[in-house]
Amino acid sequence: MDAVSLAIIEQLQEDGRRPYAAIGKAVGLSEAAVRQRVQKLLDQGVMQIVAVTDPLTVGFRRQAMVGIDVEGDVDPVADAVAAMPEAEYVVMTAGSHDLLVEIVCEDDDHLLEVINKRIRALPGVRSTESFVYLKLKKQTYMWGTR
């Protein structure tokens, strides 16, 4: 990835609705060239342009990080959990748990159903540990491209 693409990403992280003409001015390209580069970055899966919300304000009153311990191959469990619409973030780890999964649910009953009936029912899942969120203090995606 070249410096210009990184600069475009930084511009969009500051404001995902920034016009391509303004980005072009900042990075030294034409509006058309920025449009083409942005589309390429999107097509390659390098970035996404989305609206980030506070889940509480849009009706999702329960969030939790769930640590999952797996017997055997972690990949099939990770793939199955990643396919669940409530799973917003799924990572394989080298630590106390094999997987960490952020779950976003409407309420406690919904969270219980996801963990107890769906995650724990997956073949290979040995145990789970849930960390229920009480209050969102910071959620940002402004780490830049360093």
Side-chain angles (χ1 to χ4, degrees):
M1 174 135 353
D2 67 7
V4 174
S5 291
L6 293 174
I8 290 170
I9 291 169
E10 287 178 350
Q11 289 285 311
L12 289 168
Q13 282 184 314
E14 289 175 14
D15 180 357
R17 298 182 306 154
R18 183 166 287 156
Y20 291 149
I23 295 171
K25 192 174 201 177
V27 302
L29 291 178
S30 69
E31 178 180 350
V34 170
R35 184 181 318 279
Q36 183 180 40
R37 282 191 182 233
V38 167
Q39 190 59 54
K40 184 177 178 181
L41 292 167
L42 293 169
D43 291 344
Q44 293 174 337
V46 172
M47 67 177 192
Q48 299 174 357
I49 301 173
V50 298
V52 178
T53 63
D54 176 350
L56 289 172
T57 64
V58 293
F60 295 100
R61 297 186 323 268
R62 182 54 69 215
Q63 291 179 269
M65 184 65 69
V66 179
I68 303 173
D69 299 330
V70 176
E71 292 180 5
D73 190 359
V74 176
D75 277 316
V77 176
D79 291 342
V81 172
M84 296 178 184
E86 296 87 356
E88 294 296 319
Y89 177 80
V90 179
V91 292
M92 298 166 85
T93 67
S96 299
H97 302 289
D98 298 306
L99 296 171
L100 288 177
V101 180
E102 185 174 43
I103 303 291
V104 178
C105 295
E106 295 166 12
D107 54 31
D108 287 337
D109 288 336
H110 186 194
L111 178 62
L112 178 62
E113 184 266 328
V114 170
I115 294 170
N116 197 43
K117 303 283 187 203
R118 293 170 43 208
I119 293 175
R120 289 181 180 156
L122 292 171
V125 172
R126 183 176 13 149
S127 64
T128 63
E129 182 177 7
S130 301
F131 303 90
V132 175
Y133 297 2
L134 298 176
K135 186 174 185 178
L136 179 64
K137 292 296 278 187
K138 181 178 181 180
Q139 179 177 351
T140 182
Y141 300 93
M142 297 299 297
W143 56 80
T145 57
R146 294 197 231 322

